[in-house]
Amino acid sequence: MKVHLLKIILILKSIIVCITFLYLFTQCSLWERYQSQKEELSGGDTTTFDRTLNAFNKPASNLKNHNKILKFNKGNQTFKATWTNEQGKKLTGLGPLFNSNSCNGCHFLSGRGHNKLEGEKDFRSMIFKLSYEKLSPLPGYGSQIQDKSINKEKISIEVTPNVTFQEKKGHFPDGEEYTLLEPKYEFTNWKYGEPEKFSFSPRVAPVIYGMGLLSLISEETLKAIADPEDKNKDGISGKINMAFHYKTREQKVGRFGWKASHPDIKQIISVALHQDMGITSELFPNQNCEPEQIQCKKAQGNNKPEIDKDTFDDLDYYTMLVAVPARRYVQDSDVLQGRKLFSGIGCINCHIRELKTGNNLEYPELSNQVIYPYTDLLLHDMGEGLADGVREFSASGKEWRTSPLWGLGMYPLVSQHNRLLHDGRARGVKEAILWHGGEAETSKQRFMNLSKSERLLLIKYIESL
């Protein structure tokens, strides 16, 4: 009897020790280190550890088949190639009106675009969406401004946009001062009639890497995350944007674009070719000339796709399989402290760390991957400070898709700037957070109430992603 009692006591002690250890493990930096270490593989097995200027245009690391790598490289070449309107060239069909003559012109090295910088004469990696009476295209101009022409003497550009920045000064509760840049836009030289009333939305070119992984997040996962009526009463009401699928003519779950207005990568490539470069495709066989643009319509071709199927497929394959760069400094003590602050002030409620891709027979490399994109791909009300007047399906002017944060710390190296947000107004992470409002207002206020040293730790963590 005594022997059995002694065994029971020993077992109970062991259980208490284990429970105590697990509790301490979850409360101390060991747990934080373990979780952070996992996140080094931002894109799961596809993650690249390239830390050079080319970090954003590497193939998925688990892409091993020679023919697949060859197809990826062909797509990369098309991405970087310059289109022309000269007959006889392989990549011909540019314009008549356009914003850039190459994918790389806006998404430099598959990186992020920027607003007009000091010394630049025009917008090089940024476009303006237009709307009139809710979703209607603006008469004479369509749904997007094209500010370049293949022949300005014969085919007038639509309008000349410009921007100036006004400084907004403020200070944190601890006295540290800051300055925000608020963009003010003007449009001159309307060539097809000056509209009395219209809405516009400036958009910088987003990064390309990781799009294939995000395309494999299941609709069920997104629906489970969404909380449009804020039933859990946490002040966050992320919702899905049901976007129009141009090929099937149905409503589909949107996940790409600043307002999640495109359901898949093939569509967003087709739209970019058509609107940004004036390149027709199978999905959009007609030029982007409005009825009022007579000279533009005269210059258009025979309404056959200007990008052939093989070239389009290579470009699509490249976009699907561009690797996400690995997280850096995952065991740095400052970064680990910043990680806890990121969760503590509520950033994690929208910038969700971990997701898992579904299975896809065409892209086994992307299938069943645990990834760390720091997004929920949902729409959130970001407040009046970031609002535009453009609606896109169920997305209002104040609603924006949660931007993925993975790779953000590499922007200054690859994209040669640190401008953030949909219109590139923010000079770095601090200013981007300070522009947050709406559903993110509480997190912003918590950020402001941190000590200066804590704010720096949080920023350092975000820049490690």
Side-chain angles (χ1 to χ4, degrees):
M1 185 68 179
K2 290 182 178 180
V3 174
H4 288 299
L5 184 59
L6 182 60
K7 286 183 177 179
I8 292 173
I9 293 172
L10 289 173
I11 291 172
L12 289 173
K13 284 185 176 180
S14 298
I15 292 172
I16 292 171
V17 169
C18 288
I19 292 174
T20 303
F21 175 78
L22 287 172
Y23 174 77
L24 292 174
F25 183 69
T26 58
Q27 297 300 309
C28 71
S29 62
L30 287 176
W31 176 254
E32 204 73 35
R33 287 182 183 278
Y34 169 70
Q35 292 295 328
S36 185
Q37 185 65 52
K38 289 197 309 178
E39 295 166 24
E40 185 174 28
L41 297 178
S42 301
D45 294 337
T46 71
T47 306
T48 176
F49 281 83
D50 191 296
R51 302 281 172 83
T52 71
L53 190 66
N54 290 308
F56 292 171
N57 64 111
K58 293 292 183 180
S61 293
N62 58 351
L63 188 69
K64 303 298 183 182
N65 181 279
H66 174 75
N67 290 332
K68 290 184 175 182
I69 294 175
L70 181 62
K71 186 175 181 65
F72 176 90
N73 289 335
K74 287 170 64 179
N76 194 358
Q77 290 174 1
T78 300
F79 186 89
K80 294 178 179 177
T82 300
W83 286 72
T84 179
N85 66 317
E86 298 177 22
Q87 297 301 315
K89 299 288 184 69
K90 176 175 172 55
L91 299 181
T92 189
L94 179 70
L97 295 170
F98 63 98
N99 297 107
S100 179
N101 60 3
S102 75
C103 304
N104 195 63
C106 289
H107 311 267
F108 178 64
L109 295 178
S110 294
R112 178 186 171 87
H114 57 78
N115 204 311
K116 191 175 181 181
L117 300 178
E118 186 176 353
E120 293 182 343
K121 294 182 178 180
D122 56 12
F123 294 93
R124 300 179 182 179
S125 53
M126 178 171 169
I127 56 91
F128 292 86
K129 291 288 185 181
L130 297 171
S131 74
Y132 172 76
E133 294 181 349
K134 295 185 178 180
L135 292 178
S136 302
L138 185 65
Y141 300 94
S143 59
Q144 179 176 316
I145 288 174
Q146 282 86 33
D147 61 352
K148 296 177 179 63
S149 166
I150 57 173
N151 187 332
K152 290 184 179 180
E153 294 181 0
K154 293 183 178 181
I155 308 168
S156 298
I157 63 171
E158 296 177 332
V159 62
T160 302
N162 196 19
V163 63
T164 56
F165 293 94
Q166 294 182 359
E167 290 190 345
K168 293 180 62 175
K169 296 184 181 295
H171 60 84
F172 293 96
D174 63 8
E176 181 192 355
E177 296 182 346
Y178 63 80
T179 302
L180 301 179
L181 296 182
E182 184 174 17
K184 300 293 183 181
Y185 297 95
E186 65 173 353
F187 302 90
T188 57
N189 302 319
W190 295 91
K191 297 300 183 181
Y192 305 98
E194 183 170 352
E196 294 182 3
K197 185 178 181 181
F198 71 100
S199 298
F200 68 93
S201 179
R203 312 273 179 91
V204 300
V207 296
I208 299 298
Y209 60 80
M211 290 179 65
L213 291 166
L214 296 178
S215 73
L216 266 60
I217 304 299
S218 70
E219 292 186 9
E220 291 72 23
T221 296
L222 299 181
K223 289 175 180 177
I225 299 171
D227 184 19
E229 298 175 1
D230 192 19
K231 290 182 178 180
N232 62 3
K233 306 301 180 184
D234 65 350
I236 308 298
S237 54
K239 73 178 188 183
I240 289 172
N241 193 4
M242 296 303 296
F244 183 70
H245 195 283
Y246 288 94
K247 186 172 184 179
T248 65
R249 318 301 291 180
E250 298 173 334
Q251 297 293 316
K252 298 280 188 179
V253 171
R255 61 184 74 210
F256 298 113
W258 287 105
K259 290 183 182 284
S261 54
H262 297 290
D264 61 40
I265 289 176
K266 282 185 171 63
Q267 178 163 308
I268 201 168
I269 290 175
S270 299
V271 169
L273 287 170
H274 187 251
Q275 292 294 312
D276 301 351
M277 299 168 64
I279 306 297
T280 60
S281 64
E282 182 180 355
L283 195 60
F284 297 104
N286 300 315
Q287 292 287 0
N288 60 347
C289 301
E290 296 301 305
E292 297 85 352
Q293 298 172 351
I294 305 301
Q295 296 304 318
C296 179
K297 292 178 70 67
K298 286 182 179 180
Q300 66 186 9
N302 55 14
N303 291 339
K304 290 184 178 180
E306 291 163 333
I307 182 169
D308 62 73
K309 185 179 184 303
D310 289 343
T311 303
F312 185 95
D313 287 346
D314 290 341
L315 186 58
D316 176 51
Y317 195 78
Y318 167 75
T319 307
M320 285 290 294
L321 286 161
V322 179
V324 180
R327 258 200 66 196
R328 301 162 300 153
Y329 317 122
V330 292
Q331 294 299 299
D332 182 276
S333 59
D334 287 349
V335 170
L336 291 170
Q337 292 181 66
R339 185 181 188 277
K340 293 180 70 174
L341 291 167
F342 186 86
S343 299
I345 68 172
C347 303
I348 201 68
N349 293 332
C350 299
H351 293 282
I352 293 176
R353 286 192 177 100
E354 182 178 319
L355 293 170
K356 187 175 182 180
T357 65
N359 189 47
N360 186 291
L361 296 178
E362 187 177 359
Y363 295 97
E365 297 84 4
L366 305 178
S367 299
N368 304 310
Q369 296 294 321
V370 177
I371 61 175
Y372 301 91
Y374 286 76
T375 180
D376 57 11
L377 296 178
L378 301 177
L379 295 173
H380 294 277
D381 182 337
M382 295 298 291
E384 292 293 342
L386 294 177
D388 59 22
V390 175
R391 292 189 62 89
E392 293 188 20
F393 308 112
S394 60
S396 72
K398 295 193 295 183
E399 291 177 318
W400 301 92
R401 184 197 72 159
T402 304
S403 184
L405 299 182
W406 53 6
L408 180 148
M410 297 285 287
Y411 289 176
L413 173 63
V414 180
S415 299
Q416 305 291 298
H417 66 85
N418 68 342
R419 295 299 184 97
L420 301 174
L421 298 179
H422 68 280
D423 58 0
R425 69 176 69 184
R427 296 165 296 184
V429 172
K430 180 172 73 174
E431 290 186 17
I433 296 173
L434 292 174
W435 275 109
H436 281 48
E439 295 174 45
E441 181 67 29
T442 299
S443 292
K444 180 185 75 175
Q445 293 300 327
R446 289 171 180 167
F447 171 74
M448 295 185 71
N449 286 318
L450 295 175
S451 67
K452 182 176 181 179
S453 60
E454 288 175 324
R455 292 194 294 270
L456 291 174
L457 290 173
L458 177 62
I459 292 170
K460 188 172 183 180
Y461 167 67
I462 295 174
E463 290 177 343
S464 79
L465 302 179

